[in-house]
Amino acid sequence: RFEDIRKCVGCLHGCVGHIDNGLAGSCELNPLVGHESDPEYQTIPAEHPKKVMVVGAGPAGMQAAITACDRGQKVILAEQGPHLGGLLRFTDVDTDKPDLMNFKNLLVREVERRDIDVRLNTVITPENITSFGADGVIFATGSLPSCPPVPGIGHAHKAMDMYDGKVKPGHKIVMVGGGLVGCEAGLFLQKTGHEVTVVELLGRLANESFGMYREALIWEMEKCGMAMLPKTRCLEITPTGVKVENAGGVQTLEADTVLFALGMKSVDIAPLKAAAEAAGLKTWVIGDAIQPGKVDQATRSAYLAGIEVGR
């Protein structure tokens, strides 16, 4: 079916972005791109079929489950929340992410049409990790927003929390952190009627992005009237605003709501991994559980883990 083809989302990260930087071309959504003839990437039937549990059902977990199942493995996909999709569920709300939402939904459909034992609302602990009868565990536990020790950080909210209704942003918003998450979340809010100011310590906003995507993002932010303050340090967050310092001196930015997007950190899986390995289970770590990154890094590491299971 055409709707189940992995269609380009125009991210320009792995194809144009890589080639522009002298790297081999790849694809954010299809881990086979650039490796079509590589034996290590072929989904041949498993030599020794196993029962594997995938912990976490974001894009990495779903891709690992799909690949392992396609090779004849018996797969349990365990997710602590009530839905598949992980961090990509924000695309159900963000009006600028319909293509990435379609990719997330495609992965969900691919999981649902396979003989994968999906267990939602299932929390995996060191005490129960061996109770599922698995021969191995793939950890796709993802990442969480970092919460650095900024004075008054308790008055602010994580930027991603506004997508699922945990935060109801007021009209005037200060976004502390102008990386890709802060810029994209701020742009969404600006487009939905809020007045957003983005504060970034570095000299470039969305610094971890590059090429045409970054240029288009910054252009869209400017067009929508977002206030952008690069080379600006956040000194303190108060109940009514943010005290900042830049070349113009110290000033206070008034805000109804302060959000922060100051990086991501991998979920700590050390106790889970230790418990699994102590019981003799083979383990793999994939996606943001290795290191927070982009979707292509998540799907590629997941695909390779699914290939390796049972070898």
Side-chain angles (χ1 to χ4, degrees):
R1 299 182 302 176
F2 182 70
E3 67 269 23
D4 290 332
I5 296 173
R6 295 197 179 193
K7 295 177 282 188
C8 177
V9 300
C11 66
L12 304 178
H13 288 157
C15 52
V16 175
H18 280 200
I19 293 169
D20 282 349
N21 286 272
L23 304 173
S26 65
C27 177
E28 183 113 324
L29 309 185
N30 188 350
L32 268 176
V33 169
H35 301 275
E36 291 85 351
S37 60
D38 188 338
E40 295 298 313
Y41 279 73
Q42 305 311 308
T43 54
I44 60 175
E47 298 173 7
H48 308 287
K50 300 288 184 180
K51 185 176 184 180
V52 61
M53 180 167 66
V54 181
V55 182
M62 290 191 287
Q63 180 64 68
I66 290 165
T67 305
C69 181
D70 286 350
R71 297 188 58 244
Q73 315 288 358
K74 180 65 176 176
V75 181
I76 299 172
L77 179 59
E79 165 58 41
Q80 66 177 356
H83 306 283
L84 302 176
L87 286 178
L88 289 191
R89 293 195 69 247
F90 87 94
T91 61
D92 293 335
V93 178
D94 195 318
T95 53
D96 282 335
K97 297 294 183 181
D99 292 330
L100 195 55
M101 178 190 68
N102 289 338
F103 173 62
K104 181 262 296 179
N105 292 340
L106 167 60
L107 288 177
V108 172
R109 290 195 300 271
E110 288 192 4
V111 168
E112 291 174 343
R113 69 155 58 103
R114 286 168 171 78
D115 184 21
I116 295 173
D117 183 2
V118 177
R119 304 196 186 187
L120 300 176
N121 300 305
T122 301
V123 178
I124 306 301
T125 67
E127 291 72 32
N128 71 7
I129 196 168
T130 60
S131 66
F132 296 86
D135 301 300
V137 182
I138 299 175
F139 292 103
T141 44
S143 59
L144 296 170
S146 296
C147 188
V150 176
I153 193 73
H155 298 303
H157 307 275
K158 299 170 185 174
M160 296 297 290
D161 283 352
M162 59 92 178
Y163 285 113
D164 57 14
K166 294 179 182 177
V167 179
K168 301 293 185 183
H171 176 67
K172 185 173 288 189
I173 296 169
V174 172
M175 179 73 70
V176 180
L180 194 56
V181 172
C183 288
E184 292 184 334
L187 181 58
F188 166 73
L189 289 167
Q190 185 79 15
K191 286 185 171 183
T192 51
H194 303 270
E195 183 181 319
V196 182
T197 299
V198 179
V199 175
E200 170 56 39
L201 181 61
L202 299 179
R204 276 174 31 119
L205 275 71
N207 188 59
E208 70 271 41
S209 189
F210 51 81
M212 289 186 286
Y213 181 81
R214 180 182 177 276
E215 290 179 12
L217 174 62
I218 299 300
W219 180 83
E220 188 76 3
M221 292 166 66
E222 292 173 345
K223 186 182 75 171
C224 291
M226 287 178 63
M228 293 176 272
L229 297 177
K231 297 184 180 179
T232 300
R233 180 182 298 276
C234 174
L235 300 177
E236 182 183 2
I237 300 172
T238 72
T240 58
V242 180
K243 184 183 290 186
V244 300
E245 182 180 22
N246 54 27
V250 176
Q251 59 179 306
T252 297
L253 306 174
E254 294 183 359
D256 301 315
T257 305
V258 179
L259 301 174
F260 67 89
L262 296 168
M264 305 290 286
K265 61 180 179 179
S266 298
V267 172
D268 181 13
I269 61 168
L272 288 175
K273 193 169 184 291
E277 291 176 348
L281 304 183
K282 191 169 182 179
T283 63
W284 296 263
V285 182
I286 62 174
D288 278 11
I290 303 172
Q291 180 179 337
K294 295 184 174 66
V295 176
D296 66 323
Q297 296 162 319
T299 54
R300 176 163 283 101
S301 63
Y303 183 87
L304 290 174
I307 290 291
E308 188 177 337
V309 172
R311 279 191 168 176

